[in-house]
Amino acid sequence: MTLAPAIEVHDLVVGYDALNAVRGVSFTLPRGGRMGLVGESGSGKSMTALALMGLSPTGWHAAGQVLHDGVDLITETDTSFSKRRGRTISMVFQDPMSSLNPVRRVGDQIADVIHRHSKVSRREAMKQALDLMVQMNMPRPEQLARSYPHQISGGQKQRIMIAMALACYPQLIIADEPTTALDVTVQKQVLRLLNAAARDRNTALLMITHDLPVIAAMCDTVAVMYAGRIVEHGPVQEVFRSPRHHYTRGLLDSQPTMDNIALDGSSRLGSIPGMVPPLHNLPTGCAFHPRCAAASEKCRAEMPELGANGAACWHPVKEKAE
Amino acid sequence: MTLYIVRKLAFFLLAVFAASIAIFLLIRGAGGNVAAIILGKDATADAINALAQQYGLDRPMVVQYFDWIGNIFRGDLGRSFRTNEAVTDLVVSRLSISIPLCVSGLLLGLLIAIPAGTYSALNSDKPLGALITILSQVGIAVPVFWAGILLSLLFGVRLGWLPTGGWTNWSADFWGAVRSLVLPIISLGLILGASLTRYVRSAVLDVMNQDYVRTARATGMTRMEALLQVGLRNAALPIATVVGLQIAELIGGTVIIETVFSLPGLSRMILANVAAREVIVVQSTVMLIIIFVMFINLIVDLLYGVLDPRVRLAR
């Protein structure tokens, strides 16, 4: 028998008062699947993630359907949702510097998660925490476990965060730009660890990032968000090789590669003209039309839905001839 | 931690030493001829010299200073020029009023402020949360003497439950003494509670918006658990600082409440002795208060070390 997906999102809307930062997002992530969520700042990626965790900021509302582990998370009460967070669904945040409790030893912070969700003793929880730290490639875990967050490096802190997220073998980990705050040299190690650990546990991964190469290396599918909607969704190879939405195309063109960076200063690095529209002043029709070269009257009037080609666009980019 | 304690202790002793010199110079150096001041402007030169000799006021300042400091360490704060009472006795009897008044007032303040501040931080959108914020504003605006007068009008005059003022000694009538302190403590506690509520509120607001509280929630704590286990523990740091400052302010700063309720506390004693030009009494009592204040600061610093590993482990 096939397992239910790790998460199934239908028409998720997240907003504040009458303003919606996420406007009808749907996707399904199978068990052990890896999905990348990309988009500029303000496109609604992080708000989507927080809504899936039931941790939208105070005053924000979330509607739609989020099926996970046989329940609709949108309608869960805080108490019963709390029994899931960290156990069946967990999250790694962007900034490890500020995401750990500054007055508690890091080993205890991992053990707390284990102790909270399983019936094991404090001592057993600590033993498991040390095991996790070993899996996270942390040398001398006993000594490190007794450190406070301010005593260890950013990379180590993020490993602790990942260990906390993995501790209870969740079905899904949401990683919201887990390496943005880290040194470039450390980024790769941390991603590799997260990747391997998730694979070992058959944990699904929802990877939120600006970093397209990371998605290419780690994910099966990618969803591109713009102004609160998914504008293109498909297998990573397909989307990256042959984007159908003009926004995706623009994002890919603005990535530096060996081809478009010239050392003599005559760079041909692309950029998307204009800016992400503010929530209170979204364009009519396709929200991307003011920045799109291919925009027509229809784009201004009607909002396109995701089509069979995986893009929400009236005039999709022509498929690249192989 | 040991290094931290040693450093804080050394700083404490150094600060006390510096303060003692400052007080001595301010009161003696700036005060002119002490013997002349005590005897008043009609005194003869002979009388002034005799008095100076009797109290050793004719010796060099340095000698007098070390004499004074040495005696303080031996528990001898000197004697009143007028009544010849030992300052130590005066202070001890006054402290038996001031300390219970301050400590209970502060405790009552905290007892009000911690739940009220926390509640209003988390429920600013609810009527009760807004009401707490308004009441705390009002409490900050109301002078403590006015609160004291209103309370004594209601409970003392109108209802006759508690005395409106006066003092009987602890040993003479224990419950009478307690009853005399109830209204002053409530007035002090209400006013302190009002301003502390604001500090608690802002500390809790600040802490609950931190990323680590979100992490706590993401690993399975309910809102309430995150508040109690992570939030308040972190909010304790700024609150401890404010409470330390409040204690320091209270010990010599309850003169108004002591006056309203006619309590012979320490603050009123200092005021009376300043008016009466009791140089030695003022000098020694102020020194005592300064030692006390610095001691409280020391305690707060050490508490900070206990509460915050970043402070404790800093090199």
Side-chain angles (χ1 to χ4, degrees):
Chain A
M1 100 179 208
T2 50
L3 288 166
I7 199 157
E8 218 179 310
V9 181
H10 295 293
D11 226 4
L12 179 69
V13 174
V14 187
Y16 184 86
D17 290 338
L19 302 178
N20 289 329
V22 178
R23 306 181 299 143
V25 160
S26 305
F27 63 84
T28 299
L29 186 53
R31 287 291 171 100
R34 278 114 207 289
M35 176 176 153
L37 197 56
V38 291
E40 287 165 276
S41 309
S43 59
K45 298 170 301 196
S46 294
M47 278 305 159
T48 304
L50 288 175
L52 300 188
M53 288 297 289
L55 294 177
S56 297
T58 333
W60 286 64
H61 54 78
Q65 213 182 18
V66 178
L67 300 176
H68 164 76
D69 202 27
V71 294
D72 182 0
L73 294 180
I74 295 289
T75 58
E76 284 276 272
T77 61
D78 186 41
T79 322
S80 59
F81 206 152
S82 291
K83 298 199 175 88
R84 301 190 171 281
R85 291 188 200 110
R87 186 172 60 89
T88 63
I89 181 170
S90 55
M91 185 155 175
V92 178
F93 293 99
Q94 180 171 355
D95 189 357
M97 310 300 159
S98 57
S99 292
L100 287 167
N101 185 352
V103 299
R104 193 146 174 79
R105 296 175 198 276
V106 294
D108 286 331
Q109 297 196 40
I110 305 176
D112 285 346
V113 185
I114 300 167
H115 185 63
R116 170 170 299 276
H117 292 299
S118 55
K119 293 279 163 267
V120 301
S121 66
R122 202 61 233 181
R123 179 188 292 259
E124 171 61 22
M126 196 62 204
K127 206 179 130 290
Q128 290 184 21
L130 292 175
D131 284 348
L132 275 162
M133 290 173 73
V134 173
Q135 288 173 46
M136 286 293 113
N137 259 352
M138 301 181 86
R140 289 173 295 153
E142 284 85 4
Q143 190 194 331
L144 217 55
R146 281 195 298 275
S147 309
Y148 288 96
H150 74 279
Q151 296 174 300
I152 64 179
S153 72
Q156 284 174 324
K157 276 193 253 251
Q158 196 62 307
R159 285 168 207 224
I160 298 286
M161 290 293 298
I162 293 173
M164 286 166 72
L166 286 167
C168 297
Y169 292 76
Q171 296 171 25
L172 172 67
I173 289 186
I174 301 169
D176 187 3
E177 313 213 13
T179 55
T180 319
L182 302 180
D183 285 345
V184 185
T185 46
V186 184
Q187 288 185 356
K188 226 171 230 164
Q189 299 168 21
V190 168
L191 285 173
R192 204 171 288 149
L193 283 166
L194 175 61
N195 201 19
R199 187 149 285 160
D200 290 346
R201 291 164 165 75
N202 199 30
T203 292
L205 201 57
L206 179 62
M207 186 81 192
I208 298 173
T209 180
H210 298 291
D211 198 343
L212 300 181
V214 165
I215 301 243
M218 285 180 68
C219 299
D220 321 320
T221 59
V222 59
V224 181
M225 275 189 86
Y226 187 79
R229 292 181 67 87
I230 293 182
V231 295
E232 180 155 14
H233 190 178
V236 168
Q237 296 300 325
E238 247 170 69
V239 172
F240 281 4
R241 193 162 300 154
S242 164
R244 305 306 304 275
H245 197 283
H246 296 273
Y247 178 63
T248 316
R249 173 73 182 279
L251 274 187
L252 289 167
D253 283 348
S254 49
Q255 287 288 312
T257 65
M258 289 315 273
D259 296 333
N260 63 17
I261 288 285
L263 294 175
D264 58 7
S266 64
S267 290
R268 286 165 290 141
L269 194 57
S271 66
I272 306 173
M275 289 194 303
V276 178
L279 290 182
H280 57 84
N281 196 15
L282 286 176
T284 54
C286 170
F288 187 60
H289 83 254
R291 301 172 72 184
C292 183
S296 68
E297 238 358 272
K298 191 174 188 186
C299 304
R300 273 178 271 278
E302 286 176 64
M303 184 155 69
E305 297 292 332
L306 272 181
N309 61 2
C313 182
W314 294 122
H315 313 291
V317 183
K318 291 209 172 51
E319 237 170 300
K320 227 185 248 174
E322 287 293 324
Chain B
M1 187 75 185
T2 319
L3 182 71
Y4 179 74
I5 296 174
V6 169
R7 217 169 39 192
K8 287 294 166 194
L9 264 176
F11 183 77
F12 167 71
L13 292 175
L14 205 71
V16 166
F17 178 65
S20 69
I21 293 178
I23 290 167
F24 187 84
L25 286 180
L26 272 175
I27 295 181
R28 292 292 179 81
N33 187 337
V34 175
I37 293 171
I38 295 165
L39 290 173
K41 61 181 181 220
D42 298 331
T44 60
D46 284 350
I48 291 172
N49 284 337
L51 188 79
Q53 224 160 16
Q54 185 190 340
Y55 285 97
L57 296 172
D58 51 349
R59 294 172 299 163
M61 284 287 227
V62 183
V63 176
Q64 288 188 52
Y65 169 77
F66 281 105
D67 192 39
W68 173 59
I69 279 294
N71 282 336
I72 284 186
F73 277 111
R74 268 173 255 130
D76 175 9
L77 299 179
R79 284 180 177 275
S80 156
F81 289 122
R82 271 171 226 280
T83 63
N84 207 33
E85 276 176 287
V87 178
T88 318
D89 295 343
L90 282 173
V91 168
V92 166
S93 82
R94 297 303 175 112
L95 281 179
S96 76
I97 299 168
S98 289
I99 287 180
L101 175 62
C102 293
V103 171
S104 314
L106 190 71
L107 282 181
L108 179 63
L110 282 173
L111 228 55
I112 296 169
I114 291 176
T118 306
Y119 183 87
S120 76
L122 301 181
N123 300 284
S124 51
D125 51 338
K126 295 200 186 122
L128 184 57
L131 183 70
I132 289 172
T133 311
I134 293 169
L135 282 181
S136 119
Q137 288 284 11
V138 171
I140 292 167
V142 168
V144 67
F145 72 86
W146 198 62
I149 290 170
L150 284 188
L151 282 173
S152 77
L153 270 179
L154 178 62
F155 293 103
V157 178
R158 181 73 53 88
L159 298 169
W161 292 351
L162 292 160
T164 55
W167 176 249
T168 48
N169 252 323
W170 289 104
S171 48
D173 179 3
F174 178 81
W175 289 111
V178 171
R179 282 163 55 86
S180 305
L181 282 177
V182 170
L183 284 181
I185 287 171
I186 292 177
S187 334
L188 206 58
L190 284 179
I191 300 300
L192 272 175
S195 62
L196 285 174
T197 297
R198 278 182 51 112
Y199 288 110
V200 172
R201 183 185 138 88
S202 78
V204 170
L205 263 183
D206 179 52
V207 164
M208 292 308 278
N209 282 323
Q210 295 291 320
D211 287 349
Y212 52 79
V213 170
R214 193 177 57 185
T215 306
R217 299 266 288 126
T219 55
M221 286 193 200
T222 59
R223 246 166 86 89
M224 193 46 101
E225 285 168 334
L227 169 71
L228 296 177
Q229 293 172 30
V230 179
L232 286 185
R233 177 71 175 70
N234 279 283
L237 305 170
I239 295 173
T241 312
V242 174
V243 170
L245 290 173
Q246 294 277 11
I247 299 178
E249 202 174 303
L250 270 183
I251 192 67
T254 48
V255 62
I256 292 168
I257 208 77
E258 286 170 14
T259 308
V260 170
F261 290 98
S262 341
L263 293 173
L266 191 65
S267 306
R268 275 179 79 204
M269 174 189 134
I270 296 174
L271 206 63
N273 280 291
V274 169
R277 312 217 188 290
E278 284 277 14
V279 179
I280 291 289
V281 179
V282 172
Q283 185 179 305
S284 293
T285 320
V286 170
M287 187 66 218
L288 267 192
I289 289 176
I290 286 187
I291 292 177
F292 177 78
V293 167
M294 289 186 175
F295 181 70
I296 293 293
N297 281 339
L298 177 71
I299 298 288
V300 169
D301 276 347
L302 295 182
L303 195 64
Y304 231 94
V306 172
L307 290 173
D308 193 343
R310 285 163 296 187
V311 173
R312 183 193 327 150
L313 300 167
R315 296 266 158 241

